[in-house]
Amino acid sequence: MSQPYQRSRPPSCPSDLRLDHFLLGELEEQETASLRAHLDSCSHCTARLAAMDSEREQFGRQFGAWVPSKPRGRRFRWRLWPVLSLAAAAAAILLVVELRPERGGLPTIRGKGQSRLEFYVRHQGVVRRGSTGEAVLAGDALRFAYSSGAPGYLAVISLDGRGRATVYYPPQSTMIPIAAGDDILLPASTILDDAPGPEQIWGVFCRVPLDLEPIRARVEKTRRAPTLPDGCQIDATSIEKRTSR
């Protein structure tokens, strides 16, 4: 079995999102100096940072810079977020904003302590954190993040305004392994198509990997949330695709 993307961290250590900012050269000078000082004294975070960089390289080698969009109902393009060394990080142009707005609109399907799916929206080079019912346009990019109290497997499935179901993540036929952690960024972004109207998105968290095509096909047929076996949890969110702002 392949290794999960992320390791747990002590509460006093920076989040993966902040380390991602650091790798991309997006922190202010004072924040960068503070994080460097922490890394100098924390072998745990130094190992996390090295593992994050290694995972990007591994993902790039496995799937390449672009992953084809047509198989298994996928109608969009996958684009890897940059695989960067520390020396090249300052040249990065993709921005991630660390915000935590309260969710509104449709409720999520989860209870206390359950796993959570979040997402970021990149529009015309500006990245913002999304919330349920977020207004987006065709050509905008989504990048997903998750939080989970236990290791397991993850997939992201959507149902758009035309009734078409898509596996947004992962770019393979079965669910992908994840580790426990908070606000962990997935290593690819999704370019949205032009299907108008509301789009439901489900984060599917399971203890064992499931084949995704039967799940996708059933969602498209029933136009309902995925029906899953015991040992799985669902977190729901949504976007609203518009023709203009």
Side-chain angles (χ1 to χ4, degrees), residues 30-84:
Q30 184 175 356
E31 292 178 293
T32 299
S34 176
L35 186 50
R36 285 188 185 279
H38 177 82
L39 291 169
D40 287 342
S41 62
C42 181
S43 59
H44 179 79
C45 286
T46 301
R48 287 171 59 212
L49 192 69
M52 289 172 67
D53 212 24
S54 174
E55 285 163 0
R56 285 190 181 91
E57 293 177 1
Q58 181 180 0
F59 193 93
R61 287 194 301 269
Q62 183 176 358
F63 297 114
W66 294 91
V67 176
S69 61
K70 296 299 183 182
R72 300 174 53 249
R74 291 183 173 83
R75 310 175 311 283
F76 52 84
R77 295 171 290 164
W78 280 88
R79 178 175 295 165
L80 294 184
W81 287 45
V83 179
L84 299 174

Side-chain angles (χ1 to χ4, degrees), residues 168-190:
Y168 271 169
Y169 189 83
Q172 61 186 57
S173 61
T174 58
M175 300 175 73
I176 205 158
I178 59 171
D182 293 323
D183 204 16
I184 298 172
L185 290 165
L186 297 179
S189 60
T190 301

